[in-house]
Amino acid sequence: MIETESGVFLEKTKKDEILTPETKIDKSVKPVLAMSNEKIVIETKTLDFYYNADAHALKNINIHIPDKKVTAFIGPSGCGKSTLLRCFNRMNDLISDAFHTGEILINGVDIYKEGTRLEDLRKQVGMVFQKSNPFPMSIWENVAFGPKVNGINDKDELNEIVESALKQGDLWREVKDRMQNSALDLSGGQQQRLCIARALANKPEIILMDEPASALDPISTGKIEETIEELKKNYTIVIVTHNMQQAARISDYTAFMMLGELIEVDLTKKIFTNPTQKLTEDYITGRFG
Amino acid sequence: MSTEHKTPKDFRRKVERADRWSRRVITTGGYGIIISIVSILLFLIYQSLPLAKGASINEILSMPATRSENPVVLTGVDPYLEVFYELDNRGSIKFYNVDSKALIKEDQLPLKANEKILTAAKGNLTKEIFTVGSDSGRLITSSIEMKPEYTKSGRTIEAMVYQEEEWQAATENDTIPNHIEKLTFVENSDGTRVWSWIDHTGKLWLRIYDAEDEEEYLYDLSEDISGQITSFSLSHNAENLVVALKDKNVYWFDISDFEKIQLKDRWTLETIADAVNYLLGDQAVAIGGQDGSVSVWFPVRSPANLFKFRKVHEFISHNAAIDQIYVSSRNRNFLTVDTKGNVKLHYSTTGQTQLEFKPADFPVTAAAFSPKSNAILVVDGQKRFSLYNLENPHPETTLKTLFGKVWYEGYPKEEFVWQSTGGSDEFESKLSLIPLIFGTFKGTLFAMFFSVPLAIFAAIYVSQFAPKRLARQIKPTIEIMAALPSVVIGFLAGLYFSPLFEEYLMVIFLFVILLPLFFLIALFIWQRIPEKMQARFPLGIEILFVIPIGIITLVFAMSFDHVVEQILFQGNFQQWLYSTLQITYETRNSLVVGFALGFAVIPIIFTVSEDAISNVPESLSSASLALGASKWQTVRRVVLPAASGGIFAAIMLGLGRAVGETMIVLMATGNTPIIDLNPFNGFRAMSACIAVEIPEAPVGGTLYRVLFFTGLLLFVFTFIVNTLSSLIGDRLRKKYARF
């Protein structure tokens, strides 16, 4: 039995045991890799994440994600790459029973700090999902959705934002004449680029991509990759991918994760040619996966 | 295993056979449902179709003029259409068998030698009693009985003639005997008899025999009337007399007080009325004009609270002057006969001329309805006797009487009225479906007002906002509501809730108004609480805050209801409603039904819309949330549009249920078929009307068929609602829900 602050006695659960006051952040633990010469945008400190008390999904994650670079998360299925990605815009908050320990900082600010507006965080950290998920609305409405819910109502301003976002998403030429058509009439690849444009319309700083090309054909994948290449000039991109060639092609840094642990983070070139860890090498060379 | 399937081939065959059989069973089931629905529809149509059938006649007997050389003055037939009789102007009554055309009996009225009958009149619609007036001034009243006798060889009709009474009109001098030129006669249900006649001097006489006091009265009405009389008629209850004159004036006398005959109304026609006759019900008078026009008139209350005769129905005109009108003893049918021998059948309530026929090229001298109004008999100038079978099962229903305004007897104007049965056969049935359709829609509307917002908000809360654990409990709880039999809801609403509602009306009103207000205040206070304290309450606990707010509101409403009633409604809301808005408050009113019926449809709307909202893929709401939309923005802009097809279908399903719901509207409405939007009134829904009246409706009768037709309307209506719901639902799904 433990006594809570409100004086109610509760059965001490496993969760309470995990969340004892002793689970403080251990400042002495260094990140697996600190890229000192880069500006750091996202930083996690001894991040542990639990889907519930019995499902420990992320273990002691310490990672730095540099500004205006593409960072790829690779690793076998179920290793926690997507979970880590979703920590950055607090999408995991939607899962009841899930909780975490440790800190996540964006631009040095704890995103769980009291008074943080979730809406502002998610405007700052955009996200593209594995399966394209355009809204059942027109193309224009899809792209304008983010700015609209964030309080922009001026039609001209919205038009400008939509055009610029679609241009950045490399979709403008294809859809400019049918902005009022349903987004669901677009092809799979176009839909995914629309989702990217939709995220860009919010003018985010960071774009999280959760296997954005895994459901697409090679040509569409190529287009997405080109788009990412173009976008990294202005945005910090974190991408989860199953496809190691894709990681090698588009990312500047690669993080290898396994069983909820961050094994190695380094320059992509280094990871793919000369990894430090034996596990990384085994995975890269296809000994397991 | 091995014993059953000896080889793999055997096994294959067995699987294929099972497949084939299950396919057949499933197909049969599917077709069975379609067939049963179609057969219900066909059955309803089959039962209500005869309503559309008009009247038809076919001749069953035509006897040439070989029987008597004297003109026939009266004719009649027994209820089984087996024996008919004729009375000629010499007083001879001859009975003939319809089938064999044989003379079966002959009788003689007690006439003197050379005395001739000038006029004859039947005095009762249900029994054969008549009076003849002779050229020697005598009124001879007789009755005929045609009684079925059951013998071994079957049924035979025994015909008897009874002499009832004789009366001699006074003569001025012996040389010119008093002639009875034209006569009308009634015997009412008390046995009181009234005769009215014109003598050879043109004077109108009225003689009354009061059966109760055994007294006689004789009046000379010519003093009140100036002019030549063309026709006159007594009402069957012996209370009214209308007299038409050559100067086109019509007089209405009230003779119900035998001591004092009163002239009640006088009006002028556009034509000379050669025939007038009271219809069944003793209200309406059919008037046939010299110009061939046929109209029905009855007294209508004037603004000065006086009854004035008004022309209400006008029928298709004859080409010649009308000289006789005969009325049916069963309904508002009447026959008009013109001088050229044309006969037309009309129905008063509907204003319809149902059929027209010409028995012969000679004028008709006498005609009659059979006692059951299932035949018409006609004797023409050549003494040819014809009997026609009359097939007219539902004369009172036309599209106009079912769906239009009708001017019923005793009503001040045209109205939609449902009043299917009355105290007696003389009742004019009022079968307008509009009040029932209106009632159904009124009940549905109130129920939807109450249930749609509640159910849909509940669905949104449960699927989007409530913590999973709570949602898992709320959903089955609401679904259990659907299992509650509607008779229980109706019973509680009608017998428990409605008196309570009436007693605490003000409290309930205050509660409904104050609850949202108090909620807003509570929310405002909640927002002022520091976030740290807010965070301490787990998500979903807000439900617990609702209860105290509800209780506080209730206590507040209960302690201030009298004050509010005093200040705003002069101390009594019901009285205030009546005195200022002329709205009557009924205990079983539409608001109560709205709650009860709403309660019954909430589970359907909730379940279906909750499913629709839950089925919106998580990826859509995730996308919206990831774009920085708040939970409510996500629900409003993404989830609800995507679920709109399902929500629409849910509302339509609820609507269909509310329209067809019977027990609740039956028990909680008071079943008053009135057209009034006032929420404090009751109503009568189609379904409840069927339930209430079908046990009393004679099978195959008009009411029975009209109720089946009501059922057909309900069927068609729910069919339209369901079709619309799937069509629009599909469209919405196509637009919003292709994921």
Side-chain angles (χ1 to χ4, degrees), chain B residues 111-170:
Chain B
L111 295 188
K112 297 175 201 152
N114 296 327
E115 188 178 4
K116 263 197 214 159
I117 295 171
L118 297 178
T119 174
K122 289 191 192 180
N124 195 295
L125 288 172
T126 49
K127 83 183 205 206
E128 296 285 324
I129 183 164
F130 60 90
T131 295
V132 296
S134 75
D135 59 358
S136 53
R138 290 209 300 167
L139 294 174
I140 303 166
T141 304
S142 317
S143 63
I144 287 175
E145 194 175 32
M146 288 177 280
K147 212 167 60 182
E149 291 277 320
Y150 296 92
T151 59
K152 272 188 186 150
S153 55
R155 190 179 61 199
T156 55
I157 302 291
E158 188 73 23
M160 299 291 287
V161 180
Y162 301 98
Q163 299 310 315
E164 298 281 342
E165 69 148 53
E166 275 183 54
W167 186 80
Q168 175 69 55

Side-chain angles (χ1 to χ4, degrees), chain B residues 431-448:
Chain B
L431 300 171
S432 173
L433 294 178
I434 299 296
L436 307 182
I437 295 171
F438 178 88
T440 294
F441 280 99
K442 187 179 175 187
T444 309
L445 197 74
F446 277 89
M448 297 314 266

Side-chain angles (χ1 to χ4, degrees), chain B residues 41 546 553 582 661:
Chain B
L41 179 67
V546 174
T553 318
Q582 270 73 53
E661 176 52 54

Side-chain angles (χ1 to χ4, degrees), chain B residues 487-635:
Chain B
V487 65
V488 175
I489 302 177
F491 176 77
L492 285 177
L495 283 114
Y496 180 73
F497 186 56
S498 48
L500 208 70
F501 189 86
E502 189 174 11
E503 196 179 341
Y504 294 107
L505 190 64
M506 219 47 236
V507 177
I508 290 167
F509 271 23
L510 274 182
F511 184 77
V512 168
I513 294 165
L514 290 180
L515 194 65
L517 201 74
F518 278 39
F519 257 107
L520 285 179
I521 295 169
L523 282 178
F524 185 74
I525 295 169
W526 174 253
Q527 284 194 328
R528 301 285 126 172
I529 296 175
E531 255 181 62
K532 208 170 191 174
M533 273 177 72
Q534 281 187 18
R536 205 177 299 156
F537 299 105
L539 198 68
I541 207 83
E542 63 270 9
I543 283 288
L544 292 180
F545 290 107
V546 174
I547 296 163
I549 293 171
I551 292 172
I552 291 168
T553 318
L554 191 65
V555 169
F556 193 84
M558 284 184 89
S559 40
F560 287 100
D561 64 327
H562 288 297
V563 181
V564 174
E565 213 167 2
Q566 279 297 344
I567 297 169
L568 292 178
F569 305 115
Q570 302 158 359
N572 187 322
F573 181 65
Q574 271 104 305
Q575 257 172 34
W576 178 84
L577 266 184
Y578 188 71
S579 58
T580 52
L581 300 175
Q582 270 73 53
I583 289 173
T584 47
Y585 182 92
E586 283 175 30
T587 308
R588 285 173 189 78
N589 59 48
S590 310
L591 278 184
V592 174
V593 180
F595 286 135
L597 200 53
F599 191 79
V601 297
I602 279 176
I604 294 177
I605 303 180
F606 170 81
T607 310
V608 179
S609 48
E610 205 274 342
D611 285 344
I613 297 170
S614 296
N615 283 341
V616 174
E618 193 120 11
S619 66
L620 284 185
S621 43
S622 297
S624 165
L625 291 170
L627 285 167
S630 69
K631 186 77 196 177
W632 174 239
Q633 282 174 322
T634 304
V635 168

Side-chain angles (χ1 to χ4, degrees), chain A residues 140-185:
Chain A
W140 189 91
E141 286 284 349
N142 261 280
V143 182
F145 185 88
K148 268 179 156 178
V149 296
N150 286 297
I152 297 170
N153 285 316
D154 182 54
K155 187 93 185 181
D156 292 333
E157 195 181 346
L158 284 174
N159 277 334
E160 236 168 73
I161 292 170
V162 170
E163 185 178 339
S164 125
L166 283 171
K167 277 178 177 160
Q168 291 181 67
D170 197 18
L171 195 62
W172 175 252
R173 277 181 301 110
E174 290 158 64
V175 300
K176 64 178 180 206
D177 300 323
R178 44 178 179 143
M179 295 293 274
Q180 295 312 321
N181 288 15
S182 171
L184 301 170
D185 294 334

Side-chain angles (χ1 to χ4, degrees), chain A residues 6 91 94 114-115 119 122 125 127 129 133-137 145-146 148-150 182 184-185 198-199 202, chain B residues 468-469 531-532 536 619-620 622-631 633 637-638 642 735-739:
Chain A
S6 49
M91 280 308 266
L94 294 175
E114 208 171 282
E119 289 82 13
R122 288 176 181 162
V125 185
M127 188 164 192
F129 295 81
N133 52 0
F135 299 127
M137 309 167 184
F145 185 88
K148 268 179 156 178
V149 296
N150 286 297
S182 171
L184 301 170
D185 294 334
R198 188 172 65 182
N202 261 343
Chain B
K468 289 261 151 49
R469 214 170 296 120
E531 255 181 62
K532 208 170 191 174
R536 205 177 299 156
S619 66
L620 284 185
S622 297
S624 165
L625 291 170
L627 285 167
S630 69
K631 186 77 196 177
Q633 282 174 322
R637 289 169 183 256
V638 177
K735 193 165 172 205
Y736 291 116
R738 282 185 290 158
F739 23 70

